Amino acid sequence: MAEMVHAPLVTYVSMLSLLTLCPPFVVLLWYTMVHADGSVLQTANYLRENGLQGFLHIWPNPTSIAWKIIAFYAAFEAALQLFLPGKRVEGPISPTGNRPVYKANGLLAYVVTLVTYLGLWWFGIFNPVIVYDHLGEIFSALIFGSFIFCIFLYIKGHVAPSSTDSGSSGNIIIDFYWGMELYPRIGKNFDIKVFTNCRFGMMSWAVLAVTYCIKQYETYGSIADSMLVNTTLMLVYITKFFLWEAGYWNTMDIAHDRAGFYICWGCLVWVPSIYTSPGMYLVNHPVNLGVQLSLYILVAGILCIYVNYDCDRQRQEFRKTNGRCLVWGKAPSKIVASYATTSGETKTSLLLTSGWWGLSRHFHYVPEILAAFFWTVPALFNHFLPYFYVLFLTILLFDRAKRDDDRCKSKYGKYWKLYCEKVPYRIIPGLY
Ligand code: NDP
């Protein structure tokens, strides 16, 4: 049963507005970055003068070349996910007692994808500039295609769920929006959320980051240092993601959020369009920062990505070793928290209360947001739109921290209360 973490009215209003506003927003953002110099004002003036007709005019058609690019990419990633070798990894035990099994081949898939993409360009087989030049059409196709895919997930959840971790809330909009299945699969091995979230979504972020670089290179004959800093930081972040992909399979996205519009449409459309948007802006704004400033931003960004990685690593190592590890050179302090599964069984989990997890309950979101700021700041401050992702991420993570706290409170009860007493701040130590 999908839980409502906010008041019902807030939930309905936010669901319906996300369902109706996100698709046009993706198109407007792309249009502003690529055709309106990144200026929100310019787009707003255009819309004021031309109204709805003008908006419909800029909405690109999902052309056959766009569908072909998406189909090739999706098929390639699906094949890598299915056929590349990888260690067998078990996910966390689900609320109904299932333990999903995965093949950890994400890093290899990431390397193969980037090498193949750069190879196709280098040997003149496929020019990534084609992707940039059809970006609007690709986003348009993704908007419609992913919507249909979410309808498929909804129907599958009703008629052919892959496991007992599935169910209906009794409300069609909630089922469609939050999803029905926790671990939908095609056959035994093809995990749909690994595909949508990791191999399509996160991978497309890297592919598009490289595409933007190549487009700038082919347009201007060189790559500005601002673009290099942006692309390097984004690639470091995505490399970290794939290095740690099996860890990601233990997080809220996979272990708690069901496969519906919120997660899947988000990963299939929002990640390629919004997450990559600072790079999309830089293509036509080749700012030169100079070596010193570039290095400062690069080092600050890498540091943030490292701290974010270390927070996740610390929690996972602590859980994997059952608390028998060192945290910042000392034995960890912890709470042994028991909880009941939906089948009434009592289980225990360990909550780490030292290291990063002793600073605040979601400290890892701080370096996550700062890293995004550092890969955006090469765009300097002429326009607000490149910073939209940082703003969006901040809202997303503050909301997520609340959702996670509420979920943990209902899961662990008095033990979570104890954790909150020991570690009183939710995200920013001393402030919030
Ligand atoms: P996690 O799932 O990693 O952590 C939350 C879970 O960890 C809780 O639900 C709880 O699960 C467990 N937990 C909570 N406190 C403790 C503790 N003190 N000790 C041990 N376990 C604890 O969080 P996220 O999925 O939000 O984040 C994972 C990563 O993904 C982060 O690096 C984050 O920054 C990144 N991220 C990036 C986003 C983006 O769009 N760029 C969006 C969201 C996340 P349990 O039920 O097992 O106890």
Side-chain angles (χ1 to χ4, degrees):
M1 175 90 169
E3 330 107 75
M4 284 203 203
V5 288
H6 301 293
L9 187 66
V10 178
T11 308
Y12 283 121
V13 171
S14 64
M15 273 190 326
L16 289 175
S17 34
L18 280 182
L19 277 164
T20 49
L21 297 180
C22 287
F25 185 83
V26 166
V27 170
L28 285 175
L29 180 122
W30 158 79
Y31 172 80
T32 310
M33 293 302 198
V34 175
H35 296 294
D37 197 32
S39 161
V40 176
L41 208 66
Q42 200 171 312
T43 300
N45 284 339
Y46 169 82
L47 291 177
R48 220 186 347 258
E49 279 162 24
N50 299 283
L52 182 65
Q53 210 51 39
F55 173 64
L56 294 177
H57 179 70
I58 60 175
W59 192 304
N61 279 330
T63 51
S64 70
I65 182 158
W67 287 116
K68 271 188 214 152
I69 289 172
I70 296 169
F72 267 110
Y73 169 69
F76 185 68
E77 291 308 325
L80 296 186
Q81 181 178 333
L82 268 176
F83 301 120
L84 284 181
K87 236 174 65 189
R88 180 184 183 277
V89 171
E90 291 188 347
I93 209 153
S94 74
T96 63
N98 298 317
R99 198 182 272 287
V101 173
Y102 302 98
K103 186 154 68 161
N105 56 10
L107 190 62
L108 190 56
Y110 174 66
V111 173
V112 170
T113 300
L114 286 189
V115 169
T116 307
Y117 197 53
L118 288 169
L120 290 176
W121 174 55
W122 191 253
F123 293 108
I125 301 165
F126 178 81
N127 193 337
V129 167
I130 297 171
V131 173
Y132 180 85
D133 293 344
H134 293 85
L135 205 52
E137 296 150 46
I138 292 174
F139 290 154
S140 180
L142 280 177
I143 287 170
F144 295 116
S146 305
F147 201 82
I148 293 167
F149 184 72
C150 292
I151 295 175
F152 156 77
L153 287 177
Y154 171 79
I155 296 171
K156 179 178 176 317
H158 268 295
V159 300
S162 300
S163 77
T164 47
D165 289 297
S166 178
S168 169
S169 66
N171 178 313
I172 180 169
I173 300 175
I174 293 181
D175 285 351
F176 177 77
Y177 184 82
W178 284 121
M180 296 188 56
E181 290 191 74
L182 191 57
Y183 294 112
R185 291 200 167 186
I186 295 174
K188 193 166 166 274
N189 294 324
F190 189 75
D191 190 283
I192 292 180
K193 270 164 77 188
V194 169
F195 177 73
T196 54
N197 298 25
C198 308
R199 308 310 173 80
F200 194 101
M202 290 303 289
M203 200 72 84
S204 72
W205 188 353
V207 169
L208 287 175
V210 170
T211 303
Y212 299 152
C213 244
I214 293 175
K215 173 69 186 177
Q216 193 182 70
Y217 177 74
E218 296 225 343
T219 309
Y220 297 92
S222 62
I223 305 175
D225 51 17
S226 51
M227 183 59 120
L228 278 179
V229 172
N230 168 268
T231 312
T232 308
L233 284 179
M234 294 210 292
L235 288 182
V236 170
Y237 179 85
I238 302 159
T239 308
K240 176 220 80 161
F241 174 84
F242 281 108
L243 252 172
W244 164 83
E245 192 194 40
Y248 173 70
W249 297 334
N250 291 281
T251 68
M252 275 178 80
D253 282 5
I254 300 289
H256 306 302
D257 287 338
R258 287 156 185 242
F261 182 88
Y262 176 78
I263 275 287
C264 295
W265 196 89
C267 290
L268 295 172
V269 185
W270 202 247
V271 172
S273 56
I274 307 301
Y275 285 41
T276 69
S277 60
M280 207 191 298
Y281 172 85
L282 283 168
V283 171
N284 298 317
H285 298 85
V287 184
N288 265 313
L289 303 168
V291 176
Q292 200 174 22
L293 185 56
S294 298
L295 282 178
Y296 283 150
I297 299 174
L298 201 62
V299 170
I302 290 176
L303 198 69
C304 289
I305 296 170
Y306 171 75
V307 172
N308 172 259
Y309 163 80
D310 200 50
C311 295
D312 291 331
R313 185 205 57 77
Q314 205 171 60
R315 178 176 82 83
Q316 270 154 21
E317 195 185 322
F318 166 78
R319 279 272 172 98
K320 209 162 81 190
T321 59
N322 235 333
R324 283 185 284 274
C325 60
L326 292 181
V327 170
W328 288 356
K330 289 195 223 135
S333 89
K334 59 180 185 273
I335 293 170
V336 183
S338 62
Y339 65 95
T341 63
T342 46
S343 60
E345 249 182 293
T346 302
K347 300 217 176 257
T348 53
S349 278
L350 295 185
L351 295 175
L352 175 61
T353 60
S354 59
W356 300 114
W357 296 81
L359 298 182
S360 67
R361 301 193 296 279
H362 303 273
F363 181 76
H364 55 331
Y365 293 161
V366 175
E368 172 90 33
I369 294 167
L370 286 176
F373 172 78
F374 284 119
W375 68 62
T376 307
V377 82
L380 301 179
F381 299 102
N382 294 335
H383 290 293
F384 157 74
L385 205 54
Y387 293 87
F388 176 77
Y389 172 65
V390 183
L391 177 70
F392 158 78
L393 185 69
T394 308
I395 296 170
L396 175 88
L397 293 182
F398 274 68
D399 177 64
R400 194 180 171 94
K402 182 184 174 337
R403 287 204 298 130
D404 193 45
D405 270 12
D406 290 350
R407 197 191 62 77
C408 289
K409 194 159 91 189
S410 71
K411 179 175 175 182
Y412 296 120
K414 62 181 181 195
Y415 300 103
W416 191 257
K417 207 166 151 242
L418 194 65
Y419 181 34
C420 294
E421 280 162 16
K422 263 186 132 170
V423 182
Y425 293 102
R426 189 177 270 167
I427 299 179
I428 308 170
L431 270 183
Y432 173 78

